[in-house]
Amino acid sequence: MTSTTKTLSLTGSKLVPTLFAAALGLVLITLTGHVQAAALHDAAHDVRHATGFPCH
């Protein structure tokens, strides 16, 4: 009786998107940590108006 074992590894096709997502997440967290709360609120508010969602 023989058995086969498959190993999971990050190949070249999965490594680049994973690293990109991690870098993007780190950048977003870092930037939002240093921005004033009013600027974040205004940006979210403008996006809601631009996409047609009511916010008031």
Side-chain angles (χ1 to χ4, degrees):
M1 178 174 196
T2 61
S3 62
T4 329
T5 304
K6 291 184 179 182
T7 59
L8 296 175
S9 65
L10 289 176
T11 61
S13 63
K14 292 183 181 179
L15 183 61
V16 173
T18 302
L19 290 176
F20 179 74
L24 181 62
L26 184 61
V27 167
L28 287 175
I29 289 172
T30 302
L31 288 176
T32 56
H34 292 291
V35 173
Q36 294 179 0
L40 289 175
H41 172 79
D42 292 342
H45 188 249
D46 293 343
V47 169
R48 288 184 67 97
H49 280 291
T51 55
F53 288 105
C55 58
H56 302 250

